[in-house]
Amino acid sequence: MNLNRFAGVINFFSVQDWALEARLLRWLTMLWLTIGLVVLFSASFPVADAEVGDGARYFKVQILWIFVGLLMSRWITRHPLRLIMQFSGLGLFVCLGLIIATHIPSMGVTVNGATRWLPLGPFLIQPSELLKPFLILQSARLFGQWHRFRVSTRWLWLGVFAICLIAILIQPNLSTTAVCGFTLWLIAWASGRPYKHLFITAGAGALAAVMSISIKAYQRERIISFLDPWAQASDNGYQLVQSLYAIGSGGLWGTGFGMGQQKLGYLPIQYTDFIFSVYAEEFGFVGAVMLLLFLAVFSTVALLVALKAKSSVNRLIAIGCMVLLVGQSLINIGVATGSLPTTGLPFPMMSYGGSSMMSSLIIAGLLIRVAREAHEADIVAMTEQPMRPRRHRPGSRRRRHEQPQQEATAAEHTPAQKKRVRRHTRTGIRPEVTLEPKLSRKPSRKRKRIQSL
């Protein structure tokens, strides 16, 4: 085997030049993926075995999507953000076009009363999930360089963001709309936008949510069942009641991996929206607390990356990535525990779904890239610092570029003075030489006239 190729393969997987935060985020992401795969295998095995006769069906498909997402994430971590930002606007418009395409009856696929998917061969893609990374990049670019854009350009991009949120809302997909809108609002707040504008935007978002709930009957019924799920335990509150049963039956240490009972035909959509319920049942209260601590560590590292970012755009990208990954996870946990109304929001890097998995890994790659660029900027700043001149120690040999001050002064003497300096330096006597003021090389007009006469 060629040693150069072998060294190239090792260098391919090497992260020695990465910052500490980047390496931590990389290993935390891999740990998150491992936990998600383990829980997904247990949660999806009974459903996949009953539907297609292969219990590992969803597990295998998820590994395929993880492989694709890791390739995208690796490409992002190896290329500068200024290059990736050039495609953010185009990607945003492409995803917006795909979201609008879901409203076309012949193209959109309806699942559980919501038209959010497009067919891609044997798989389904959800454009609203693929929109999230581009939404982070373009909003960070807009709010991070707010004063560099014209007023017309600002309003144009704000209008594009509003159209994206409205297109997602009328699918209907209130939960994804709320997550994307909240992420945009937090990025704008972190950029230092005036509180007056932020309060007006928050009020408009809350008004849109109220209008959607008042128009859509099933959303209104979910809010009512959330307030008292036990009153409608066999109807609208069935999902939440079964989720609470699963979490409560886990106890302190859980029933053990693969030993959960609520996933056996009782808990609906247990491998997507309510995957945390399966996790809490099999790993118990201790496992749930450990997962929350893991999210706390991940968010802490992400905030450190945001604080160390060298530009406002990179800082806002890190904040947006942290909000979408950790914030969406907390919302999913809140829905499963009955702390929030029931919504169809997946758990990042844990729930089944190719679009959600690719989007989550791309966002994690952006966060790692911000950490790497902060580290590279520190290295450049250290190498560009001027070197201090070394002090001359008596009896030591001087380097060629360190000329004695006496020689540097003698270089400005006249030829007669140079002879005196050489003669006296041989005898060891240092003469006192008074230098005459240095005149300009360009003769004045008066001197020219005298010479001409």
Side-chain angles (χ1 to χ4, degrees):
M1 182 178 179
N2 194 349
L3 295 178
N4 293 331
R5 293 182 180 179
F6 182 72
V9 172
I10 295 177
N11 190 28
F12 179 85
F13 295 99
S14 176
V15 293
Q16 297 299 324
D17 59 331
W18 290 21
L20 176 61
E21 292 81 5
R23 281 181 282 177
L24 283 175
L25 287 172
R26 179 178 179 271
W27 291 114
L28 289 174
T29 302
M30 298 305 296
L31 179 60
W32 197 338
L33 283 175
T34 304
I35 296 173
L37 280 175
V38 170
V39 180
L40 177 66
F41 181 81
S42 176
S44 64
F45 191 90
V47 179
D49 186 51
E51 291 180 354
V52 297
D54 183 10
R57 165 71 177 179
Y58 296 121
F59 179 79
K60 296 175 183 177
V61 175
Q62 190 79 338
I63 290 179
L64 175 63
W65 289 119
I66 288 176
F67 179 75
V68 176
L70 285 177
L71 289 179
M72 295 181 179
S73 179
R74 183 197 174 275
W75 186 87
I76 290 173
T77 56
R78 302 289 176 173
H79 290 80
L81 282 174
R82 66 177 180 272
L83 175 64
I84 301 171
M85 294 287 289
Q86 296 177 359
F87 304 98
S88 61
L90 178 61
L92 183 67
F93 281 109
V94 170
C95 291
L96 177 59
L98 294 176
I99 293 173
I100 296 175
T102 58
H103 300 285
I104 301 175
S106 59
M107 298 184 65
V109 178
T110 303
V111 179
N112 296 328
T115 309
R116 308 173 186 174
W117 292 268
L118 290 175
L120 182 64
F123 307 106
L124 296 177
I125 61 171
Q126 190 173 354
S128 58
E129 290 290 333
L130 300 177
L131 177 72
K132 293 176 181 178
F134 300 106
L135 200 64
I136 292 175
L137 290 172
Q138 196 59 34
S139 61
R141 181 181 182 182
L142 175 65
F143 294 114
Q145 300 176 351
W146 182 262
H147 299 288
R148 297 185 181 181
F149 292 100
R150 298 179 180 178
V151 178
S152 58
T153 307
R154 299 175 191 172
W155 282 106
L156 174 64
W157 281 111
L158 291 176
V160 171
F161 295 156
I163 292 174
C164 291
L165 296 179
I166 293 173
I168 297 174
L169 183 62
I170 62 179
Q171 284 183 336
N173 194 349
L174 180 60
S175 57
T176 304
T177 306
V179 169
C180 293
F182 189 63
T183 303
L184 288 172
W185 191 87
L186 281 179
I187 291 176
W189 173 72
S191 66
R193 295 299 93 217
Y195 286 103
K196 178 182 177 181
H197 299 166
L198 294 175
F199 287 143
I200 293 174
T201 306
L207 180 61
V210 171
M211 292 178 60
S212 177
I213 293 173
S214 60
I215 294 174
K216 303 293 181 180
Y218 85 97
Q219 292 179 354
R220 186 169 57 254
E221 291 174 355
R222 282 185 176 182
I223 298 295
I224 296 174
S225 62
F226 158 73
L227 298 175
D228 189 9
W230 304 100
Q232 303 179 11
S234 59
D235 192 9
N236 294 322
Y238 177 79
Q239 295 179 350
L240 182 55
V241 168
Q242 297 301 321
S243 175
L244 294 176
Y245 277 144
I247 296 173
S249 61
L252 182 62
W253 298 102
T255 58
F257 174 69
M259 302 302 294
Q261 299 298 316
Q262 290 300 118
K263 63 184 180 183
L264 303 176
Y266 300 100
L267 181 65
I269 50 178
Q270 68 271 29
Y271 55 92
T272 54
D273 299 342
F274 288 93
I275 194 169
F276 176 78
S277 304
V278 178
Y279 174 85
E281 181 181 7
E282 296 184 355
F283 295 96
F285 177 76
V286 176
V289 171
M290 294 297 293
L291 182 61
L292 291 176
L293 290 177
F294 171 80
L295 294 177
V297 172
F298 191 92
S299 60
T300 302
V301 178
L303 287 176
L304 289 176
V305 171
L307 291 175
K308 290 186 177 182
K310 300 302 179 181
S311 65
S312 58
V313 176
N314 290 12
R315 185 177 301 110
L316 295 179
I317 290 175
I319 291 174
C321 294
M322 188 269 294
V323 170
L324 271 180
L325 290 178
V326 181
Q328 186 170 325
S329 302
L330 294 178
I331 292 176
N332 183 276
I333 294 174
V335 169
T337 56
S339 303
L340 295 174
T342 303
T343 58
L345 201 64
F347 200 112
M349 288 187 281
M350 187 176 290
S351 298
Y352 174 77
S355 302
S356 175
M357 180 59 65
M358 288 191 297
S359 176
S360 301
L361 288 176
I362 290 173
I363 293 172
L366 290 174
L367 188 59
I368 295 173
R369 183 62 207 176
V370 173
R372 289 198 64 186
E373 290 197 359
H375 178 63
E376 292 171 0
D378 290 337
I379 293 177
V380 171
M382 291 176 62
T383 55
E384 289 182 353
Q385 288 182 356
M387 297 181 63
R388 295 181 179 179
R390 297 181 61 182
R391 294 183 179 180
H392 173 65
R393 297 180 180 179
S396 62
R397 297 183 61 183
R398 301 191 182 194
R399 298 183 181 179
R400 294 181 179 179
H401 64 274
E402 296 179 356
Q403 298 294 339
Q405 187 175 2
Q406 180 181 353
E407 296 179 3
T409 308
E412 301 177 359
H413 297 170
T414 60
Q417 291 173 344
K418 286 183 178 179
K419 292 180 180 179
R420 292 178 56 192
V421 170
R422 291 170 185 168
R423 183 173 65 253
H424 288 286
T425 49
R426 292 175 183 175
T427 59
I429 303 174
R430 188 174 181 181
E432 295 182 0
V433 181
T434 57
L435 300 177
E436 297 179 358
K438 200 172 184 180
L439 299 179
S440 176
R441 295 180 179 178
K442 186 176 181 180
S444 61
R445 293 182 179 178
K446 187 176 179 180
R447 192 175 298 173
K448 283 185 179 181
R449 291 176 183 174
I450 296 172
Q451 290 177 359
S452 62
L453 292 174

